[in-house]
Amino acid sequence: ESILSRIRSFEYSQKNAVLVPAAALGVGGMLVYWLRSRHKIKTIEMGDGWWGSGERPLKGKEDESIRPFTIETSDKEIEDLHHRLEQARYAPPLEGAAFHYGFNSSYLQKVVAYWRNQFDWRKQVEVLNKYPHFETTIEGIAIHFIHVKPSYIPHGRAVQPLLMVHGWPGSFYEFYKIIPLLTEPAGHGLNEGDVVFEVICPSIPGYGFSEAPHQKGFDTIATARIFHKLMNRLGFKEYYLQGGDWGSRITTNMAQMLPQSVKGLHLNFVFISRQGLRRMISVMLGAYVPWLVGLTREDVRRTYPFIQKNIYELLRESGYLHIQATKPDTAGCGLNDSPVGLAAYILEKFSTWTDKSFLHKDDGGLESKYSLDELLTNVMIYWVTSSIVSSMRFYKENLSKDPGVTADARVGVYVPTGIAAFPQELVHTPHAWAKEIFKNIITYSYMPRGGHFAAFEEPKLLAQDIMHFVRKVEQL
């Protein structure tokens, strides 16, 4: 018995010698897998889509050719516009109303008189065509874009591809003043040396000369996928992204979708949908002990009084958003039929979104930052393409869902990020709040002046910040 018990205990110890290390190895492996999965970067599923008319064709490959595109006009188009401008009806404004009730109709009559009698659409079409335009078909719809390469590349310098995406109620035309600064920096006093870009500016589908989606559900994630496909079709494996307004969300989604393709992301507007206890504490303490919650003095100056700047002013400026996020076609019908109504609706945003104090001016301060030719050219892009309704629908497609359950809601941004915070932007996002989503902020700049339409209003400031950001990324 003694011998048998010794044999059994030996066998038991032998089993333990095998089982214990095996169990430890299994637990250790699970722990390593868990730790690695925790640090694995989550991405948005790229997926696929079809936005053409009717069912997606079962056979046949999509035409992937890139075709030259030219903006054109006609006597008939201009005559129709002039006829409509001449037939406009106006409601007299309240005395002393300035822009507090929206676009002041007394000033609107002056704008329309200029539009009818002095604005030269044919000349502006020539201006628009000064950069090379193209179109290509992606997911069943025609995508319009401009692609501008530098005419001269200094020896030893790499050209960085940069995709710039506009928002609403803007267009690709917003970038016309910044493009030469980025593609020919030395010729514009920006010869800090080492950064030269080739710039690609697409029109968001449903805006301007890009075909509108024919199916429901076209959101920023679908746009991000299409723009990745565009860049791939142009032969780029890696590229920089820049955006404001919807362009900010689209390029952010692009960084969340294919981070390996995005060298860097530069934004002049930051979307943050996440709220919660941490944000509430930050807001409550920020006005009194900002350093405790990571806010700077400049953050405090731009963010407080919080109720006034982040609730009252935002509500005042976002009535359009509720209409467009619920029933865009109703209001859109009238705007699509009336150039005067369209101009009032669009240009009012170029007033108060450029500077909130412009509410108090009878002319909305519009001509203090832009020329009427510039403003009306942007309006005309919407008018001649009949794209105001489809551009407004983009709000419904993106904002009719709970922001907490969208595919991008729980996905951080890990690509190098640069943020240019302009003081007159609709809302200010401090660095401390931005880093909750943007995990790799390389530059964060408090811009000295400027508002929502940064590339249009302050092209040199924005160009300098983009270059500063890209230079830092390239040195990493």
Side-chain angles (χ1 to χ4, degrees), residues 115 119 121 124 128 166-176 203 207-209 342-343 345-350 370-388 391 453 456:
W115 197 359
F119 179 77
W121 176 232
Q124 294 308 114
L128 290 173
H166 67 87
W168 187 91
S171 64
F172 66 93
Y173 177 61
E174 285 181 71
F175 301 117
Y176 267 50
S203 295
Y207 288 68
F209 299 99
L342 182 68
Y345 196 73
I346 288 177
L347 295 185
E348 180 241 302
K349 305 307 177 197
F350 281 87
Y370 317 101
S371 71
L372 283 181
D373 279 347
E374 289 170 346
L375 293 168
L376 289 170
T377 297
N378 184 65
V379 172
M380 284 295 287
I381 289 169
Y382 282 86
W383 177 254
V384 300
T385 58
S386 291
S387 60
I388 188 62
S391 76
F453 303 100
F456 205 38

Side-chain angles (χ1 to χ4, degrees), residues 240-241 252 255 262-267 270 413-420 431 434 437-444 469 473 476:
Y240 284 93
L241 306 174
T252 297
V262 179
K263 293 183 78 175
L265 170 68
H266 186 279
L267 306 173
V270 176
V413 178
Y414 293 88
V415 305
T417 303
I419 296 171
H431 184 287
I437 293 171
F438 300 92
K439 309 296 186 182
N440 189 11
I441 297 175
I442 304 297
T443 62
Y444 182 99
F469 164 67
V473 174
L476 291 175

